[in-house]
Amino acid sequence: MRFLLFVLLFLSFAYALGLVLANNTEIGVNLLFSQAPTMNLGLLLILCLILGVVIGILLALLIFRVLQNKWEISRLQKANANLQEQLTQANIVIDRQANSPTVEDAVYGSITTGMQDTTTTTAAKEPILTKHKRD
């Protein structure tokens, strides 16, 4: 990897040197609102090339960060939807458990506190049997 980087650096330096030597005419640069001093055309080309590469890298990093944020938002929205579904399922289970009959209801049946079952016999003085729900 280091060797490949060294070769790439050497080739770019050789290209820049060849560009400066091949374009050695002096040229004035008009920057619309000001005038830059005359400089070598090859040097101007290299400066523009370097400036374009730096701006391109910065824009690529910015776009990558934006895409990375979009991917993260999408992932978090999916996780949020999954958690909402789990919460809904948990609420359904809790409601079923809250509305299920208790053990006493299953054994004695559904009894309201105001109802009484009385059993009388033919004898007038026998006690009255009542059934009350326990608390």
Side-chain angles (χ1 to χ4, degrees):
M1 182 67 182
R2 260 188 204 176
F3 180 72
L4 181 65
L5 185 63
F6 180 72
V7 169
L8 216 73
L9 186 63
F10 178 74
L11 288 175
S12 64
F13 179 73
Y15 178 74
L17 185 63
L19 196 61
V20 169
L21 292 176
N23 297 304
N24 58 3
T25 58
E26 295 290 321
I27 188 169
V29 179
N30 185 2
L31 300 173
L32 294 181
F33 299 112
S34 66
Q35 183 75 22
T38 59
M39 63 174 61
N40 190 342
L41 179 61
L43 184 60
L44 180 65
L45 289 172
I46 290 173
L47 288 176
C48 290
L49 183 69
I50 290 173
L51 185 64
V53 167
V54 169
I55 290 173
I57 289 173
L58 290 176
L59 285 176
L61 289 175
L62 179 68
I63 290 171
F64 179 71
R65 183 163 294 159
V66 168
L67 290 176
Q68 189 177 20
N69 288 342
K70 284 184 180 181
W71 293 332
E72 183 72 13
I73 288 169
S74 174
R75 185 188 65 81
L76 289 175
Q77 285 175 341
K78 287 178 184 176
N80 189 17
N82 187 19
L83 290 174
Q84 285 289 355
E85 181 64 29
Q86 288 178 359
L87 180 64
T88 303
Q89 294 297 327
N91 284 336
I92 290 171
V93 170
I94 289 171
D95 286 341
R96 283 183 188 160
Q97 288 177 351
N99 294 331
S100 65
T102 62
V103 173
E104 290 179 1
D105 289 342
V107 171
Y108 298 117
S110 180
I111 303 173
T112 58
T113 57
M115 287 184 62
Q116 293 181 352
D117 289 339
T118 52
T119 309
T120 58
T121 59
T122 55
K125 300 236 176 178
E126 286 189 28
I128 298 173
L129 298 175
T130 60
K131 187 180 352 176
H132 296 283
K133 186 175 181 181
R134 285 183 170 175
D135 289 330

